[in-house]
Amino acid sequence: MPHPDQPLTNDDEEEDLLDDEEEDLLDDEEEDLLDWASIATLYAVGYIRILADAIERGDADLQVDPVAWENTLTAVEGVMVEHIRGRLHGPTAITAEDVQRMRRLRGLGSAALSGGERSPELCPLALQCMESLFGPDWKRAAREAVFYARALNQEFHPRSGT
């Protein structure tokens, strides 16, 4: 880098361009991580709300594909870990206990979706997990997320006759 009073040479300009490109790559990586985290969180909250509501109503059809549930909740656990590591930031401070609750919810939901026990713990745990992701605004976020999760679930896991 030349002294501030010296004019830039072609080599200096090329070096500046390379530095800008490296910064853009980091920005793209961070942007991709943020996009992935936002989408995973959105769909996870949607599936959590759909499943909890169906269990609360006593529906025979829990309305969530088991594979979608497992993949999405595993992804959101990863997002939560990235929050703890400081790579992501959101509306709440995620703790290790929040990640453990999400893992517990994933397990309870998987059991219910495979025809096993519908634990009475699932619904209160679902509310805690949604709040840990969105804070006091979790209800609004969940309503919006349900719309997107239902659409995605229908697109990739259509049900016959519905």
Side-chain angles (χ1 to χ4, degrees):
M1 195 74 165
H3 186 273
D5 295 334
Q6 293 178 341
L8 287 176
T9 65
N10 283 342
D11 289 341
D12 295 329
E13 289 174 4
E14 287 177 18
E15 185 178 314
D16 286 344
L17 287 174
L18 289 174
D19 289 343
D20 289 345
E21 287 175 11
E22 286 177 19
E23 286 179 21
D24 288 345
L25 287 177
L26 292 176
D27 291 340
D28 287 345
E29 288 175 15
E30 290 174 1
E31 188 175 321
D32 288 346
L33 177 61
L34 184 59
D35 287 346
W36 171 78
S38 298
I39 291 167
T41 303
L42 176 73
Y43 286 112
V45 169
Y47 288 142
I48 291 168
R49 186 63 190 239
I50 291 167
L51 181 64
D53 287 350
I55 288 175
E56 198 169 65
R57 288 188 307 264
D59 295 353
D61 179 3
L62 297 179
Q63 305 173 24
V64 177
D65 180 79
V67 174
W69 172 266
E70 188 69 28
N71 290 342
T72 305
L73 266 69
T74 299
V76 87
E77 287 170 22
V79 168
M80 295 170 84
V81 169
E82 292 301 320
H83 275 270
I84 292 171
R85 290 181 179 154
R87 287 193 66 203
L88 293 170
H89 304 283
T92 63
I94 301 294
T95 66
E97 292 79 23
D98 294 326
V99 176
Q100 289 301 321
R101 276 193 292 273
M102 188 63 72
R103 286 187 180 137
R104 176 83 177 133
L105 178 64
R106 180 171 46 94
L108 292 174
S110 293
L113 290 166
S114 67
E117 178 189 8
R118 294 181 180 197
S119 172
E121 180 187 359
L122 193 140
C123 290
L125 190 58
L127 298 178
Q128 285 179 322
C129 288
M130 288 186 291
E131 187 170 14
S132 73
L133 293 171
F134 284 97
D137 200 26
W138 71 266
K139 288 181 184 179
R140 183 193 60 78
R143 279 192 304 273
E144 292 176 14
V146 164
F147 171 79
Y148 292 107
R150 285 188 199 278
L152 183 69
N153 206 40
Q154 185 60 32
E155 181 177 339
F156 290 102
H157 308 285
R159 300 175 187 283
S160 59
T162 58

